[in-house]
PDB file of all heavy atoms in Angstrom:
ATOM      1  N   MET A  27     -18.952 -13.315 -16.955  1.00 38.00           N
ATOM      2  CA  MET A  27     -19.755 -14.504 -17.238  1.00 38.00           C
ATOM      3  C   MET A  27     -19.701 -14.811 -18.717  1.00 38.00           C
ATOM      4  O   MET A  27     -19.868 -13.928 -19.550  1.00 38.00           O
ATOM      5  CB  MET A  27     -21.205 -14.277 -16.803  1.00 38.00           C
ATOM      6  CG  MET A  27     -22.096 -15.495 -17.041  1.00 38.00           C
ATOM      7  SD  MET A  27     -23.797 -15.227 -16.497  1.00 38.00           S
ATOM      8  CE  MET A  27     -24.331 -13.996 -17.691  1.00 38.00           C
ATOM      9  N   LYS A  28     -19.463 -16.044 -19.025  1.00 41.00           N
ATOM     10  CA  LYS A  28     -19.392 -16.451 -20.424  1.00 41.00           C
ATOM     11  C   LYS A  28     -20.789 -16.668 -20.980  1.00 41.00           C
ATOM     12  O   LYS A  28     -21.595 -17.392 -20.397  1.00 41.00           O
ATOM     13  CB  LYS A  28     -18.576 -17.737 -20.552  1.00 41.00           C
ATOM     14  CG  LYS A  28     -18.455 -18.231 -21.979  1.00 41.00           C
ATOM     15  CD  LYS A  28     -17.641 -19.498 -22.040  1.00 41.00           C
ATOM     16  CE  LYS A  28     -17.552 -20.014 -23.468  1.00 41.00           C
ATOM     17  NZ  LYS A  28     -16.770 -21.271 -23.542  1.00 41.00           N
ATOM     18  N   LEU A  29     -21.084 -16.021 -22.092  1.00 40.00           N
ATOM     19  CA  LEU A  29     -22.382 -16.181 -22.748  1.00 40.00           C
ATOM     20  C   LEU A  29     -22.274 -17.223 -23.843  1.00 40.00           C
ATOM     21  O   LEU A  29     -21.305 -17.241 -24.593  1.00 40.00           O
ATOM     22  CB  LEU A  29     -22.854 -14.852 -23.341  1.00 40.00           C
ATOM     23  CG  LEU A  29     -23.082 -13.719 -22.342  1.00 40.00           C
ATOM     24  CD1 LEU A  29     -23.481 -12.455 -23.082  1.00 40.00           C
ATOM     25  CD2 LEU A  29     -24.152 -14.106 -21.328  1.00 40.00           C
ATOM     26  N   THR A  30     -23.255 -18.083 -23.912  1.00 43.00           N
ATOM     27  CA  THR A  30     -23.282 -19.134 -24.929  1.00 43.00           C
ATOM     28  C   THR A  30     -24.507 -18.969 -25.803  1.00 43.00           C
ATOM     29  O   THR A  30     -25.626 -18.876 -25.307  1.00 43.00           O
ATOM     30  CB  THR A  30     -23.313 -20.527 -24.286  1.00 43.00           C
ATOM     31  OG1 THR A  30     -22.175 -20.675 -23.445  1.00 43.00           O
ATOM     32  CG2 THR A  30     -23.294 -21.607 -25.338  1.00 43.00           C
ATOM     33  N   GLN A  31     -24.289 -18.902 -27.096  1.00 43.00           N
ATOM     34  CA  GLN A  31     -25.401 -18.830 -28.038  1.00 43.00           C
ATOM     35  C   GLN A  31     -25.663 -20.212 -28.610  1.00 43.00           C
ATOM     36  O   GLN A  31     -24.759 -21.023 -28.764  1.00 43.00           O
ATOM     37  CB  GLN A  31     -25.078 -17.873 -29.185  1.00 43.00           C
ATOM     38  CG  GLN A  31     -25.042 -16.418 -28.773  1.00 43.00           C
ATOM     39  CD  GLN A  31     -24.755 -15.524 -29.957  1.00 43.00           C
ATOM     40  OE1 GLN A  31     -23.653 -15.519 -30.486  1.00 43.00           O
ATOM     41  NE2 GLN A  31     -25.743 -14.768 -30.368  1.00 43.00           N
ATOM     42  N   THR A  32     -26.916 -20.454 -28.900  1.00 43.00           N
ATOM     43  CA  THR A  32     -27.282 -21.750 -29.473  1.00 43.00           C
ATOM     44  C   THR A  32     -28.160 -21.544 -30.689  1.00 43.00           C
ATOM     45  O   THR A  32     -28.833 -20.529 -30.840  1.00 43.00           O
ATOM     46  CB  THR A  32     -28.038 -22.618 -28.458  1.00 43.00           C
ATOM     47  OG1 THR A  32     -29.237 -21.940 -28.067  1.00 43.00           O
ATOM     48  CG2 THR A  32     -27.179 -22.914 -27.249  1.00 43.00           C
ATOM     49  N   LEU A  33     -28.138 -22.534 -31.535  1.00 46.00           N
ATOM     50  CA  LEU A  33     -28.966 -22.523 -32.732  1.00 46.00           C
ATOM     51  C   LEU A  33     -29.301 -23.960 -33.053  1.00 46.00           C
ATOM     52  O   LEU A  33     -28.427 -24.823 -33.042  1.00 46.00           O
ATOM     53  CB  LEU A  33     -28.211 -21.885 -33.901  1.00 46.00           C
ATOM     54  CG  LEU A  33     -28.999 -21.598 -35.170  1.00 46.00           C
ATOM     55  CD1 LEU A  33     -30.100 -20.589 -34.895  1.00 46.00           C
ATOM     56  CD2 LEU A  33     -28.067 -21.046 -36.244  1.00 46.00           C
ATOM     57  N   LEU A  34     -30.567 -24.230 -33.312  1.00 47.00           N
ATOM     58  CA  LEU A  34     -31.008 -25.606 -33.470  1.00 47.00           C
ATOM     59  C   LEU A  34     -31.823 -25.801 -34.740  1.00 47.00           C
ATOM     60  O   LEU A  34     -32.596 -24.942 -35.125  1.00 47.00           O
ATOM     61  CB  LEU A  34     -31.875 -26.027 -32.279  1.00 47.00           C
ATOM     62  CG  LEU A  34     -31.217 -26.035 -30.904  1.00 47.00           C
ATOM     63  CD1 LEU A  34     -32.272 -26.232 -29.842  1.00 47.00           C
ATOM     64  CD2 LEU A  34     -30.179 -27.117 -30.825  1.00 47.00           C
ATOM     65  N   CYS A  35     -31.639 -26.946 -35.370  1.00 47.00           N
ATOM     66  CA  CYS A  35     -32.452 -27.365 -36.500  1.00 47.00           C
ATOM     67  C   CYS A  35     -32.633 -28.867 -36.415  1.00 47.00           C
ATOM     68  O   CYS A  35     -31.885 -29.554 -35.743  1.00 47.00           O
ATOM     69  CB  CYS A  35     -31.799 -27.034 -37.833  1.00 47.00           C
ATOM     70  SG  CYS A  35     -31.614 -25.279 -38.158  1.00 47.00           S
ATOM     71  N   SER A  36     -33.624 -29.381 -37.104  1.00 49.00           N
ATOM     72  CA  SER A  36     -33.815 -30.826 -37.142  1.00 49.00           C
ATOM     73  C   SER A  36     -34.394 -31.212 -38.477  1.00 49.00           C
ATOM     74  O   SER A  36     -35.162 -30.470 -39.071  1.00 49.00           O
ATOM     75  CB  SER A  36     -34.758 -31.266 -36.018  1.00 49.00           C
ATOM     76  OG  SER A  36     -34.976 -32.648 -36.070  1.00 49.00           O
ATOM     77  N   LEU A  37     -34.027 -32.374 -38.933  1.00 53.00           N
ATOM     78  CA  LEU A  37     -34.502 -32.863 -40.225  1.00 53.00           C
ATOM     79  C   LEU A  37     -34.645 -34.360 -40.147  1.00 53.00           C
ATOM     80  O   LEU A  37     -33.820 -35.041 -39.560  1.00 53.00           O
ATOM     81  CB  LEU A  37     -33.512 -32.508 -41.331  1.00 53.00           C
ATOM     82  CG  LEU A  37     -33.954 -32.774 -42.765  1.00 53.00           C
ATOM     83  CD1 LEU A  37     -34.955 -31.715 -43.197  1.00 53.00           C
ATOM     84  CD2 LEU A  37     -32.765 -32.741 -43.697  1.00 53.00           C
ATOM     85  N   VAL A  38     -35.705 -34.885 -40.722  1.00 54.00           N
ATOM     86  CA  VAL A  38     -35.881 -36.332 -40.812  1.00 54.00           C
ATOM     87  C   VAL A  38     -36.265 -36.662 -42.232  1.00 54.00           C
ATOM     88  O   VAL A  38     -36.957 -35.890 -42.886  1.00 54.00           O
ATOM     89  CB  VAL A  38     -36.952 -36.844 -39.824  1.00 54.00           C
ATOM     90  CG1 VAL A  38     -38.325 -36.309 -40.141  1.00 54.00           C
ATOM     91  CG2 VAL A  38     -36.991 -38.377 -39.817  1.00 54.00           C
ATOM     92  N   THR A  39     -35.785 -37.768 -42.726  1.00 50.00           N
ATOM     93  CA  THR A  39     -36.101 -38.163 -44.095  1.00 50.00           C
ATOM     94  C   THR A  39     -36.409 -39.640 -44.154  1.00 50.00           C
ATOM     95  O   THR A  39     -35.906 -40.425 -43.357  1.00 50.00           O
ATOM     96  CB  THR A  39     -34.951 -37.849 -45.061  1.00 50.00           C
ATOM     97  OG1 THR A  39     -35.343 -38.195 -46.379  1.00 50.00           O
ATOM     98  CG2 THR A  39     -33.693 -38.610 -44.709  1.00 50.00           C
ATOM     99  N   MET A  40     -37.242 -40.025 -45.107  1.00 42.00           N
ATOM    100  CA  MET A  40     -37.597 -41.419 -45.319  1.00 42.00           C
ATOM    101  C   MET A  40     -37.421 -41.741 -46.787  1.00 42.00           C
ATOM    102  O   MET A  40     -37.797 -40.960 -47.652  1.00 42.00           O
ATOM    103  CB  MET A  40     -39.054 -41.671 -44.915  1.00 42.00           C
ATOM    104  CG  MET A  40     -39.358 -41.360 -43.454  1.00 42.00           C
ATOM    105  SD  MET A  40     -41.110 -41.340 -43.131  1.00 42.00           S
ATOM    106  CE  MET A  40     -41.561 -39.799 -43.927  1.00 42.00           C
ATOM    107  N   SER A  41     -36.890 -42.907 -47.083  1.00 37.00           N
ATOM    108  CA  SER A  41     -36.761 -43.327 -48.468  1.00 37.00           C
ATOM    109  C   SER A  41     -38.124 -43.747 -48.994  1.00 37.00           C
ATOM    110  O   SER A  41     -38.911 -44.362 -48.288  1.00 37.00           O
ATOM    111  CB  SER A  41     -35.791 -44.499 -48.579  1.00 37.00           C
ATOM    112  OG  SER A  41     -34.514 -44.120 -48.156  1.00 37.00           O
ATOM    113  N   LEU A  42     -38.394 -43.413 -50.235  1.00 29.00           N
ATOM    114  CA  LEU A  42     -39.650 -43.770 -50.864  1.00 29.00           C
ATOM    115  C   LEU A  42     -39.424 -44.794 -51.960  1.00 29.00           C
ATOM    116  O   LEU A  42     -38.366 -44.851 -52.563  1.00 29.00           O
ATOM    117  CB  LEU A  42     -40.307 -42.523 -51.476  1.00 29.00           C
ATOM    118  CG  LEU A  42     -40.626 -41.383 -50.497  1.00 29.00           C
ATOM    119  CD1 LEU A  42     -41.270 -40.245 -51.260  1.00 29.00           C
ATOM    120  CD2 LEU A  42     -41.549 -41.863 -49.400  1.00 29.00           C
ATOM    121  N   MET A  43     -40.457 -45.592 -52.221  1.00 25.00           N
ATOM    122  CA  MET A  43     -40.347 -46.561 -53.298  1.00 25.00           C
ATOM    123  C   MET A  43     -40.428 -45.872 -54.649  1.00 25.00           C
ATOM    124  O   MET A  43     -39.853 -46.309 -55.614  1.00 25.00           O
ATOM    125  CB  MET A  43     -41.432 -47.630 -53.166  1.00 25.00           C
ATOM    126  CG  MET A  43     -41.250 -48.531 -51.957  1.00 25.00           C
ATOM    127  SD  MET A  43     -42.474 -49.818 -51.859  1.00 25.00           S
ATOM    128  CE  MET A  43     -41.988 -50.827 -53.256  1.00 25.00           C
ATOM    129  N   ALA A  44     -41.221 -44.809 -54.730  1.00 21.00           N
ATOM    130  CA  ALA A  44     -41.369 -44.103 -55.996  1.00 21.00           C
ATOM    131  C   ALA A  44     -40.083 -43.370 -56.347  1.00 21.00           C
ATOM    132  O   ALA A  44     -39.445 -42.791 -55.486  1.00 21.00           O
ATOM    133  CB  ALA A  44     -42.517 -43.109 -55.909  1.00 21.00           C
ATOM    134  N   CYS A  45     -39.724 -43.420 -57.620  1.00 21.00           N
ATOM    135  CA  CYS A  45     -38.506 -42.739 -58.056  1.00 21.00           C
ATOM    136  C   CYS A  45     -38.752 -41.235 -58.167  1.00 21.00           C
ATOM    137  O   CYS A  45     -39.858 -40.799 -58.477  1.00 21.00           O
ATOM    138  CB  CYS A  45     -38.053 -43.274 -59.418  1.00 21.00           C
ATOM    139  SG  CYS A  45     -37.556 -44.998 -59.386  1.00 21.00           S
ATOM    140  N   SER A  46     -37.714 -40.466 -57.927  1.00 17.00           N
ATOM    141  CA  SER A  46     -37.798 -39.030 -58.120  1.00 17.00           C
ATOM    142  C   SER A  46     -36.449 -38.525 -58.564  1.00 17.00           C
ATOM    143  O   SER A  46     -35.461 -39.257 -58.564  1.00 17.00           O
ATOM    144  CB  SER A  46     -38.234 -38.323 -56.836  1.00 17.00           C
ATOM    145  OG  SER A  46     -37.230 -38.415 -55.855  1.00 17.00           O
ATOM    146  N   SER A  47     -36.365 -37.225 -58.869  1.00 19.00           N
ATOM    147  CA  SER A  47     -35.131 -36.691 -59.430  1.00 19.00           C
ATOM    148  C   SER A  47     -33.992 -36.644 -58.432  1.00 19.00           C
ATOM    149  O   SER A  47     -32.846 -36.547 -58.824  1.00 19.00           O
ATOM    150  CB  SER A  47     -35.386 -35.277 -59.978  1.00 19.00           C
ATOM    151  OG  SER A  47     -35.808 -34.416 -58.933  1.00 19.00           O
ATOM    152  N   ASP A  48     -34.311 -36.696 -57.112  1.00 24.00           N
ATOM    153  CA  ASP A  48     -33.242 -36.627 -56.129  1.00 24.00           C
ATOM    154  C   ASP A  48     -32.882 -38.000 -55.586  1.00 24.00           C
ATOM    155  O   ASP A  48     -32.320 -38.120 -54.517  1.00 24.00           O
ATOM    156  CB  ASP A  48     -33.595 -35.683 -54.974  1.00 24.00           C
ATOM    157  CG  ASP A  48     -34.797 -36.160 -54.172  1.00 24.00           C
ATOM    158  OD1 ASP A  48     -35.432 -37.132 -54.591  1.00 24.00           O
ATOM    159  OD2 ASP A  48     -35.068 -35.554 -53.129  1.00 24.00           O
ATOM    160  N   GLY A  49     -33.211 -39.044 -56.324  1.00 25.00           N
ATOM    161  CA  GLY A  49     -32.812 -40.376 -55.914  1.00 25.00           C
ATOM    162  C   GLY A  49     -33.839 -41.087 -55.070  1.00 25.00           C
ATOM    163  O   GLY A  49     -33.546 -42.093 -54.440  1.00 25.00           O
ATOM    164  N   GLY A  50     -35.090 -40.582 -55.057  1.00 26.00           N
ATOM    165  CA  GLY A  50     -36.140 -41.296 -54.367  1.00 26.00           C
ATOM    166  C   GLY A  50     -36.261 -40.966 -52.900  1.00 26.00           C
ATOM    167  O   GLY A  50     -36.578 -41.829 -52.098  1.00 26.00           O
ATOM    168  N   SER A  51     -36.033 -39.714 -52.507  1.00 28.00           N
ATOM    169  CA  SER A  51     -36.148 -39.345 -51.103  1.00 28.00           C
ATOM    170  C   SER A  51     -37.067 -38.149 -50.950  1.00 28.00           C
ATOM    171  O   SER A  51     -37.214 -37.336 -51.849  1.00 28.00           O
ATOM    172  CB  SER A  51     -34.776 -39.001 -50.508  1.00 28.00           C
ATOM    173  OG  SER A  51     -33.942 -40.120 -50.506  1.00 28.00           O
ATOM    174  N   THR A  52     -37.712 -38.058 -49.806  1.00 27.00           N
ATOM    175  CA  THR A  52     -38.474 -36.872 -49.474  1.00 27.00           C
ATOM    176  C   THR A  52     -37.908 -36.305 -48.188  1.00 27.00           C
ATOM    177  O   THR A  52     -37.395 -37.039 -47.355  1.00 27.00           O
ATOM    178  CB  THR A  52     -39.971 -37.179 -49.306  1.00 27.00           C
ATOM    179  OG1 THR A  52     -40.663 -35.957 -49.093  1.00 27.00           O
ATOM    180  CG2 THR A  52     -40.238 -38.102 -48.134  1.00 27.00           C
ATOM    181  N   HIS A  53     -37.974 -34.999 -48.012  1.00 27.00           N
ATOM    182  CA  HIS A  53     -37.334 -34.356 -46.875  1.00 27.00           C
ATOM    183  C   HIS A  53     -38.338 -33.464 -46.170  1.00 27.00           C
ATOM    184  O   HIS A  53     -38.956 -32.616 -46.785  1.00 27.00           O
ATOM    185  CB  HIS A  53     -36.129 -33.537 -47.329  1.00 27.00           C
ATOM    186  CG  HIS A  53     -35.299 -34.286 -48.318  1.00 27.00           C
ATOM    187  ND1 HIS A  53     -34.555 -35.391 -47.979  1.00 27.00           N
ATOM    188  CD2 HIS A  53     -35.149 -34.132 -49.653  1.00 27.00           C
ATOM    189  CE1 HIS A  53     -33.953 -35.871 -49.051  1.00 27.00           C
ATOM    190  NE2 HIS A  53     -34.305 -35.130 -50.068  1.00 27.00           N
ATOM    191  N   VAL A  54     -38.499 -33.656 -44.877  1.00 27.00           N
ATOM    192  CA  VAL A  54     -39.450 -32.902 -44.090  1.00 27.00           C
ATOM    193  C   VAL A  54     -38.694 -32.068 -43.078  1.00 27.00           C
ATOM    194  O   VAL A  54     -37.999 -32.609 -42.214  1.00 27.00           O
ATOM    195  CB  VAL A  54     -40.425 -33.851 -43.361  1.00 27.00           C
ATOM    196  CG1 VAL A  54     -41.470 -33.044 -42.611  1.00 27.00           C
ATOM    197  CG2 VAL A  54     -41.093 -34.788 -44.357  1.00 27.00           C
ATOM    198  N   ASP A  55     -38.775 -30.759 -43.182  1.00 27.00           N
ATOM    199  CA  ASP A  55     -38.089 -29.880 -42.239  1.00 27.00           C
ATOM    200  C   ASP A  55     -38.957 -29.714 -41.013  1.00 27.00           C
ATOM    201  O   ASP A  55     -40.145 -29.422 -41.104  1.00 27.00           O
ATOM    202  CB  ASP A  55     -37.831 -28.518 -42.898  1.00 27.00           C
ATOM    203  CG  ASP A  55     -36.761 -27.745 -42.161  1.00 27.00           C
ATOM    204  OD1 ASP A  55     -36.100 -28.352 -41.304  1.00 27.00           O
ATOM    205  OD2 ASP A  55     -36.598 -26.551 -42.457  1.00 27.00           O
ATOM    206  N   ILE A  56     -38.355 -29.900 -39.849  1.00 27.00           N
ATOM    207  CA  ILE A  56     -39.087 -29.855 -38.598  1.00 27.00           C
ATOM    208  C   ILE A  56     -38.647 -28.655 -37.811  1.00 27.00           C
ATOM    209  O   ILE A  56     -37.484 -28.527 -37.448  1.00 27.00           O
ATOM    210  CB  ILE A  56     -38.838 -31.123 -37.773  1.00 27.00           C
ATOM    211  CG1 ILE A  56     -39.164 -32.361 -38.603  1.00 27.00           C
ATOM    212  CG2 ILE A  56     -39.669 -31.120 -36.506  1.00 27.00           C
ATOM    213  CD1 ILE A  56     -38.704 -33.617 -37.957  1.00 27.00           C
ATOM    214  N   GLY A  57     -39.547 -27.762 -37.508  1.00 26.00           N
ATOM    215  CA  GLY A  57     -39.212 -26.626 -36.665  1.00 26.00           C
ATOM    216  C   GLY A  57     -39.033 -27.065 -35.222  1.00 26.00           C
ATOM    217  O   GLY A  57     -39.454 -28.149 -34.822  1.00 26.00           O
ATOM    218  N   GLY A  58     -38.414 -26.196 -34.430  1.00 29.00           N
ATOM    219  CA  GLY A  58     -38.094 -26.576 -33.059  1.00 29.00           C
ATOM    220  C   GLY A  58     -39.307 -26.925 -32.219  1.00 29.00           C
ATOM    221  O   GLY A  58     -39.209 -27.678 -31.261  1.00 29.00           O
ATOM    222  N   ASN A  59     -40.496 -26.383 -32.536  1.00 28.00           N
ATOM    223  CA  ASN A  59     -41.679 -26.631 -31.718  1.00 28.00           C
ATOM    224  C   ASN A  59     -42.668 -27.569 -32.373  1.00 28.00           C
ATOM    225  O   ASN A  59     -43.757 -27.782 -31.858  1.00 28.00           O
ATOM    226  CB  ASN A  59     -42.377 -25.298 -31.397  1.00 28.00           C
ATOM    227  CG  ASN A  59     -41.493 -24.376 -30.589  1.00 28.00           C
ATOM    228  OD1 ASN A  59     -40.835 -24.823 -29.659  1.00 28.00           O
ATOM    229  ND2 ASN A  59     -41.463 -23.095 -30.945  1.00 28.00           N
ATOM    230  N   ASN A  60     -42.335 -28.111 -33.526  1.00 29.00           N
ATOM    231  CA  ASN A  60     -43.250 -28.985 -34.235  1.00 29.00           C
ATOM    232  C   ASN A  60     -42.841 -30.433 -34.056  1.00 29.00           C
ATOM    233  O   ASN A  60     -41.669 -30.767 -34.149  1.00 29.00           O
ATOM    234  CB  ASN A  60     -43.261 -28.658 -35.729  1.00 29.00           C
ATOM    235  CG  ASN A  60     -43.753 -27.256 -35.998  1.00 29.00           C
ATOM    236  OD1 ASN A  60     -44.651 -26.780 -35.315  1.00 29.00           O
ATOM    237  ND2 ASN A  60     -43.160 -26.596 -36.973  1.00 29.00           N
ATOM    238  N   PRO A  61     -43.802 -31.323 -33.813  1.00 30.00           N
ATOM    239  CA  PRO A  61     -43.438 -32.736 -33.648  1.00 30.00           C
ATOM    240  C   PRO A  61     -42.997 -33.335 -34.961  1.00 30.00           C
ATOM    241  O   PRO A  61     -43.462 -32.957 -36.030  1.00 30.00           O
ATOM    242  CB  PRO A  61     -44.750 -33.365 -33.152  1.00 30.00           C
ATOM    243  CG  PRO A  61     -45.824 -32.477 -33.693  1.00 30.00           C
ATOM    244  CD  PRO A  61     -45.244 -31.086 -33.679  1.00 30.00           C
ATOM    245  N   ALA A  62     -42.091 -34.285 -34.865  1.00 31.00           N
ATOM    246  CA  ALA A  62     -41.617 -34.969 -36.061  1.00 31.00           C
ATOM    247  C   ALA A  62     -42.668 -35.947 -36.534  1.00 31.00           C
ATOM    248  O   ALA A  62     -43.325 -36.605 -35.735  1.00 31.00           O
ATOM    249  CB  ALA A  62     -40.328 -35.724 -35.756  1.00 31.00           C
ATOM    250  N   PRO A  63     -42.863 -36.070 -37.850  1.00 30.00           N
ATOM    251  CA  PRO A  63     -43.780 -37.091 -38.353  1.00 30.00           C
ATOM    252  C   PRO A  63     -43.221 -38.466 -38.046  1.00 30.00           C
ATOM    253  O   PRO A  63     -42.024 -38.695 -38.120  1.00 30.00           O
ATOM    254  CB  PRO A  63     -43.807 -36.819 -39.863  1.00 30.00           C
ATOM    255  CG  PRO A  63     -42.516 -36.135 -40.148  1.00 30.00           C
ATOM    256  CD  PRO A  63     -42.200 -35.336 -38.928  1.00 30.00           C
ATOM    257  N   THR A  64     -44.096 -39.370 -37.671  1.00 29.00           N
ATOM    258  CA  THR A  64     -43.663 -40.729 -37.362  1.00 29.00           C
ATOM    259  C   THR A  64     -43.715 -41.572 -38.612  1.00 29.00           C
ATOM    260  O   THR A  64     -44.787 -41.771 -39.186  1.00 29.00           O
ATOM    261  CB  THR A  64     -44.573 -41.347 -36.288  1.00 29.00           C
ATOM    262  OG1 THR A  64     -44.525 -40.520 -35.120  1.00 29.00           O
ATOM    263  CG2 THR A  64     -44.110 -42.756 -35.941  1.00 29.00           C
ATOM    264  N   PRO A  65     -42.586 -42.085 -39.089  1.00 29.00           N
ATOM    265  CA  PRO A  65     -42.590 -42.929 -40.273  1.00 29.00           C
ATOM    266  C   PRO A  65     -43.415 -44.180 -40.031  1.00 29.00           C
ATOM    267  O   PRO A  65     -43.442 -44.729 -38.922  1.00 29.00           O
ATOM    268  CB  PRO A  65     -41.109 -43.277 -40.485  1.00 29.00           C
ATOM    269  CG  PRO A  65     -40.364 -42.247 -39.700  1.00 29.00           C
ATOM    270  CD  PRO A  65     -41.243 -41.891 -38.565  1.00 29.00           C
ATOM    271  N   ASN A  66     -44.111 -44.626 -41.060  1.00 26.00           N
ATOM    272  CA  ASN A  66     -44.843 -45.881 -40.948  1.00 26.00           C
ATOM    273  C   ASN A  66     -43.879 -47.029 -40.780  1.00 26.00           C
ATOM    274  O   ASN A  66     -42.711 -46.937 -41.120  1.00 26.00           O
ATOM    275  CB  ASN A  66     -45.710 -46.097 -42.191  1.00 26.00           C
ATOM    276  CG  ASN A  66     -46.798 -45.051 -42.317  1.00 26.00           C
ATOM    277  OD1 ASN A  66     -47.349 -44.603 -41.315  1.00 26.00           O
ATOM    278  ND2 ASN A  66     -47.098 -44.643 -43.536  1.00 26.00           N
ATOM    279  N   THR A  67     -44.391 -48.133 -40.277  1.00 26.00           N
ATOM    280  CA  THR A  67     -43.520 -49.270 -40.040  1.00 26.00           C
ATOM    281  C   THR A  67     -42.842 -49.725 -41.317  1.00 26.00           C
ATOM    282  O   THR A  67     -43.484 -49.882 -42.347  1.00 26.00           O
ATOM    283  CB  THR A  67     -44.303 -50.446 -39.426  1.00 26.00           C
ATOM    284  OG1 THR A  67     -43.425 -51.576 -39.407  1.00 26.00           O
ATOM    285  CG2 THR A  67     -45.537 -50.806 -40.244  1.00 26.00           C
ATOM    286  N   PRO A  68     -41.528 -49.955 -41.281  1.00 28.00           N
ATOM    287  CA  PRO A  68     -40.821 -50.370 -42.493  1.00 28.00           C
ATOM    288  C   PRO A  68     -41.093 -51.817 -42.878  1.00 28.00           C
ATOM    289  O   PRO A  68     -40.618 -52.280 -43.892  1.00 28.00           O
ATOM    290  CB  PRO A  68     -39.349 -50.181 -42.110  1.00 28.00           C
ATOM    291  CG  PRO A  68     -39.333 -50.321 -40.633  1.00 28.00           C
ATOM    292  CD  PRO A  68     -40.629 -49.744 -40.158  1.00 28.00           C
ATOM    293  N   ASN A  69     -41.869 -52.525 -42.054  1.00 28.00           N
ATOM    294  CA  ASN A  69     -42.129 -53.931 -42.353  1.00 28.00           C
ATOM    295  C   ASN A  69     -43.378 -54.132 -43.189  1.00 28.00           C
ATOM    296  O   ASN A  69     -43.724 -55.254 -43.550  1.00 28.00           O
ATOM    297  CB  ASN A  69     -42.267 -54.722 -41.044  1.00 28.00           C
ATOM    298  CG  ASN A  69     -40.968 -54.702 -40.253  1.00 28.00           C
ATOM    299  OD1 ASN A  69     -39.905 -54.831 -40.829  1.00 28.00           O
ATOM    300  ND2 ASN A  69     -41.065 -54.528 -38.935  1.00 28.00           N
ATOM    301  N   ASN A  70     -44.121 -53.062 -43.481  1.00 28.00           N
ATOM    302  CA  ASN A  70     -45.341 -53.168 -44.269  1.00 28.00           C
ATOM    303  C   ASN A  70     -45.003 -53.050 -45.742  1.00 28.00           C
ATOM    304  O   ASN A  70     -44.626 -51.984 -46.210  1.00 28.00           O
ATOM    305  CB  ASN A  70     -46.317 -52.056 -43.843  1.00 28.00           C
ATOM    306  CG  ASN A  70     -47.625 -52.111 -44.621  1.00 28.00           C
ATOM    307  OD1 ASN A  70     -47.806 -52.966 -45.493  1.00 28.00           O
ATOM    308  ND2 ASN A  70     -48.530 -51.203 -44.293  1.00 28.00           N
ATOM    309  N   PRO A  71     -45.156 -54.122 -46.529  1.00 25.00           N
ATOM    310  CA  PRO A  71     -44.757 -54.049 -47.940  1.00 25.00           C
ATOM    311  C   PRO A  71     -45.620 -53.116 -48.760  1.00 25.00           C
ATOM    312  O   PRO A  71     -45.246 -52.713 -49.844  1.00 25.00           O
ATOM    313  CB  PRO A  71     -44.889 -55.504 -48.410  1.00 25.00           C
ATOM    314  CG  PRO A  71     -45.879 -56.115 -47.470  1.00 25.00           C
ATOM    315  CD  PRO A  71     -45.660 -55.458 -46.154  1.00 25.00           C
ATOM    316  N   ASN A  72     -46.809 -52.758 -48.250  1.00 28.00           N
ATOM    317  CA  ASN A  72     -47.683 -51.858 -48.997  1.00 28.00           C
ATOM    318  C   ASN A  72     -47.512 -50.406 -48.583  1.00 28.00           C
ATOM    319  O   ASN A  72     -48.199 -49.534 -49.071  1.00 28.00           O
ATOM    320  CB  ASN A  72     -49.150 -52.268 -48.786  1.00 28.00           C
ATOM    321  CG  ASN A  72     -49.425 -53.653 -49.331  1.00 28.00           C
ATOM    322  OD1 ASN A  72     -48.962 -53.995 -50.419  1.00 28.00           O
ATOM    323  ND2 ASN A  72     -50.174 -54.460 -48.570  1.00 28.00           N
TER     324      ASN A  72
END
């Protein structure tokens, strides 16, 4: 029987208006059992 190993990761990022040293991005690492944060609507100028 063939055994298959798996490994999983997930990442989501959103661009920010505020400048930062990495070009204005923030990065949220999501574990396999944690829900992803829902980005706010991109149509809200505030």
Side-chain angles (χ1 to χ4, degrees):
M27 181 179 68
K28 180 180 178 181
L29 298 177
T30 302
Q31 290 182 290
T32 60
L33 189 63
L34 297 170
C35 295
S36 178
L37 188 75
V38 64
T39 183
M40 300 168 287
S41 298
L42 301 180
M43 292 183 69
C45 295
S46 68
S47 61
D48 64 353
S51 296
T52 185
H53 316 291
V54 184
D55 198 11
I56 305 169
N59 298 317
N60 297 323
T64 302
N66 295 325
T67 172
N69 297 319
N70 180 359
N72 297 317

